[in-house]
Amino acid sequence: MLLELLLTLGVAALLYHFIFRKKNETLEMGDGWWGPGLRPDNEDEEIHPFKIETTDEELKDLFDRIEHTRYTEPLEGSRFNYGFNSTHLRKVVDYWRNSFSWRKQLDILNQFPHFKTKIEGLDIHFVHVKPPHLPEGRTPIPIIMVHGWPGSFYEFYKIIPLLTDPGSHGLDTEYIFEVICPSIPGYSFSEASHKQGCESVAVARIFYKLMRRLGFREFYAQGGDWGSLICTNLAQIAPNQVKGLHINMAAAFPTKLPQILSVVLGQRFPGLFGLQDEDVRRLFPFFKKVVSHVMKESGYMHLQATKPDTAGCGLNNSPVGLAAYILEKFSTWTDPDFRDHEDGGLERKFSLDDLLTNVMIYWLSGSIVSSMRFYKEVIGKGVGTAKHDKVPVTVPTGIASFPNELVHCPPFWAKQKYLSIVSFNYMPRGGHFAAFEEPELLAKDIQQFVGKVQRK
């Protein structure tokens, strides 16, 4: 029986390989204009220093809105299973209103150099950090790091020093980085698109132009969440400039016959599909670990991919509503078991100062609606229908697979998309916000990946 099954699978795989497999394609870079009106003959390409500032009037407006919040009592024993528990929300808001120091956090935010430059009609914000102690004769390795939703450039504030000054933090000094962290258009201090259609490939192209404008001919790219997709697109449109791609969220779901069969038969015959014990633990039983989990955590996605302006209207007017919407993700996406905690486990991995700083970035920049629109631009026309979904990635790729990521992608699935995986590591702990949760683990994984690429 087993022999017959193996032969059937082998014949099916060969048929798929020779009959249905598409030839490798390339992803065109294209061009675009996302500013208001028509594209001018000349665009200002100057790079200008930028400082995050807040007026007293803005803070007064924030506190007035907080004071007039209406709360709904939670169901008894619901904890975080219905979303952000409003009993704990009151405690977070009390800290926000009476103990949180935004002025102190502004000093932290402005500790790194910020800049803006206009690309394709949009003011693009980015943080650019060079090594403070570069040994003589050494050249830093440029790396662009891209955030996702509902994160921001602030996610990288704890990992930046580990990459730019590893020796001062007990890390390997063989590879020292120069880090560029841009804000996705429509997020925080990057101007939102004035036109429809600014999706992940357009953003990848904008970030490619940014890196070229900064003088980098070759560079590495790293990201999670939307940053993973944007950096993947960046590797697809500029494979000769992206020396290596490192991601901590691989979105390569089973669409080809062998991978589909791994879903059906992988729990019983893991070796047949190269599945490790950790893959089996994270994926099976498939309905419970993947299908049911995704259903519980993806309601926001449907809202934002269909009617983001409607869903975002209240969030843009209520700071407490915005905090609940964003911070709930930092609970359940860090560890799904946090749904069963009265406080959502929020302070097990993060401080309230860090969490509220991220919320403040969204609030003061008024960017929640434009950030939500990105879902409609990327997946509003359907999942898996874009050209980049069908184009393989040929640049050297490293994948850091964190155990509490929203959906686990085993190497067998990832290889259908990323053709040159030189590093795939099962991380010992951590979830969706890897750089924010486990900066040292992620920094070490980036270092070892770059080392493998550099030595090739």
Side-chain angles (χ1 to χ4, degrees):
M1 177 65 184
L2 178 60
L3 181 60
E4 293 176 354
L5 177 62
L6 291 173
L7 287 172
T8 301
L9 291 173
V11 171
L14 286 172
L15 286 173
Y16 179 86
H17 180 80
F18 289 109
I19 298 175
F20 299 104
R21 188 184 64 150
K22 292 185 177 181
K23 295 181 180 180
N24 289 350
E25 300 177 82
T26 58
L27 191 62
E28 294 182 5
M29 183 173 298
D31 201 2
W33 174 259
W34 310 105
L38 299 176
R39 188 172 201 158
D41 294 333
N42 296 298
E43 185 176 31
D44 177 17
E45 296 186 355
E46 290 295 316
I47 297 173
H48 306 279
F50 173 74
K51 184 178 181 180
I52 303 172
E53 296 177 312
T54 305
T55 66
D56 291 339
E57 289 74 17
E58 287 176 308
L59 293 180
K60 182 180 183 302
D61 175 70
L62 168 68
F63 294 141
D64 286 346
R65 291 170 185 263
I66 288 177
E67 293 292 343
H68 291 89
T69 300
R70 294 192 303 172
Y71 295 90
T72 300
E73 290 303 311
L75 295 174
E76 295 179 4
S78 62
R79 291 160 295 201
F80 266 57
N81 285 288
Y82 281 69
F84 204 112
N85 184 291
S86 60
T87 299
H88 186 65
L89 181 60
R90 289 175 184 268
K91 297 177 182 178
V92 172
V93 172
D94 179 70
Y95 180 85
W96 191 6
R97 179 65 182 87
N98 299 305
S99 301
F100 176 75
S101 173
W102 176 239
R103 296 299 181 189
K104 176 185 174 182
Q105 295 307 115
L106 273 179
D107 290 339
I108 294 174
L109 286 171
N110 287 316
Q111 69 178 298
F112 295 135
H114 292 250
F115 302 90
K116 279 191 176 184
T117 188
K118 194 169 285 294
I119 303 176
E120 297 190 7
L122 302 178
D123 268 334
I124 301 301
H125 161 260
F126 63 98
V127 175
H128 186 181
V129 186
K130 299 180 180 181
H133 311 294
L134 189 65
E136 187 176 351
R138 296 281 298 277
T139 301
I141 298 171
I143 183 169
I144 182 172
M145 304 187 75
V146 185
H147 64 88
W149 186 92
S152 65
F153 65 91
Y154 185 60
E155 287 182 66
F156 301 113
Y157 264 49
K158 287 182 172 62
I159 197 173
I160 287 174
L162 305 183
L163 296 174
T164 58
D165 190 16
S168 297
H169 298 87
L171 273 64
D172 188 357
T173 58
E174 185 175 2
Y175 301 105
I176 301 176
F177 296 86
E178 182 171 344
V179 180
I180 299 89
C181 299
S183 294
I184 298 171
Y187 285 70
S188 65
F189 305 107
S190 276
E191 185 179 357
S193 174
H194 297 260
K195 295 175 171 59
Q196 300 176 49
C198 187
E199 34 71 85
S200 61
V201 177
V203 174
R205 181 179 64 243
I206 287 171
F207 289 170
Y208 169 76
K209 292 180 179 181
L210 171 64
M211 296 300 282
R212 297 289 289 191
R213 189 169 295 180
L214 291 171
F216 301 116
R217 298 185 64 84
E218 291 183 326
F219 53 89
Y220 285 84
Q222 199 286 327
D225 195 86
W226 283 134
S228 171
L229 176 59
I230 291 167
C231 288
T232 293
N233 294 159
L234 189 51
Q236 290 170 313
I237 65 176
N240 295 324
Q241 285 71 43
V242 178
K243 290 193 67 175
L245 168 68
H246 186 280
I247 55 177
N248 53 273
M249 180 181 179
F253 303 115
T255 56
K256 298 180 180 180
L257 180 60
Q259 283 75 23
I260 294 173
L261 289 174
S262 74
V263 173
V264 180
L265 303 171
Q267 186 173 12
R268 187 173 181 184
F269 306 106
L272 191 62
F273 304 99
L275 298 180
Q276 303 299 312
D277 290 344
E278 184 64 11
D279 296 317
V280 175
R281 187 189 72 79
R282 296 186 190 182
L283 287 174
F284 300 103
F286 193 78
F287 186 86
K288 176 183 178 181
K289 292 289 184 71
V290 179
V291 178
S292 178
H293 179 58
V294 169
M295 288 293 290
K296 288 180 180 179
E297 293 299 326
S298 60
Y300 80 99
M301 184 183 297
H302 188 72
L303 283 171
Q304 295 176 190
T306 53
K307 303 295 178 63
D309 286 31
T310 302
C313 183
L315 302 178
N316 197 46
N317 282 277
S318 169
V320 175
L322 178 68
Y325 196 70
I326 288 177
L327 296 186
E328 182 257 315
K329 303 308 179 191
F330 281 89
S331 167
T332 55
W333 293 1
T334 298
D335 188 332
D337 290 341
F338 286 172
R339 285 190 293 253
D340 292 324
H341 292 257
E342 294 291 341
D343 62 355
L346 280 171
E347 293 181 72
R348 296 193 174 201
K349 281 292 185 76
F350 313 106
S351 70
L352 282 182
D353 282 345
D354 282 339
L355 292 170
L356 289 170
T357 295
N358 186 64
V359 173
M360 288 288 285
I361 289 171
Y362 276 88
W363 176 259
L364 292 171
S365 63
S367 61
I368 186 60
V369 174
S370 54
S371 73
M372 293 165 68
R373 287 175 182 163
F374 196 59
Y375 282 80
K376 185 169 180 64
E377 302 297 2
V378 176
I379 61 178
K381 295 179 181 179
V383 177
T385 60
K387 185 176 181 180
H388 67 78
D389 291 314
K390 304 173 181 65
V391 175
V393 177
T394 58
V395 306
T397 301
I399 299 174
S401 180
F402 286 83
N404 288 328
E405 184 54 87
L406 293 173
V407 178
H408 176 59
C409 177
F412 185 62
W413 295 4
K415 288 175 183 177
Q416 68 180 334
K417 177 75 173 182
Y418 302 94
L419 305 186
S420 181
I421 297 176
V422 300
S423 172
F424 188 106
N425 290 318
Y426 301 91
M427 309 306 285
R429 61 185 180 275
H432 185 68
F433 304 98
F436 213 27
E437 294 175 51
E438 300 289 348
E440 186 171 331
L441 282 180
L442 185 61
K444 288 180 177 178
D445 200 75
I446 293 170
Q447 284 184 327
Q448 65 83 30
F449 163 68
V450 170
K452 289 181 178 180
V453 177
Q454 296 283 94
R455 289 190 291 268
K456 284 185 68 175

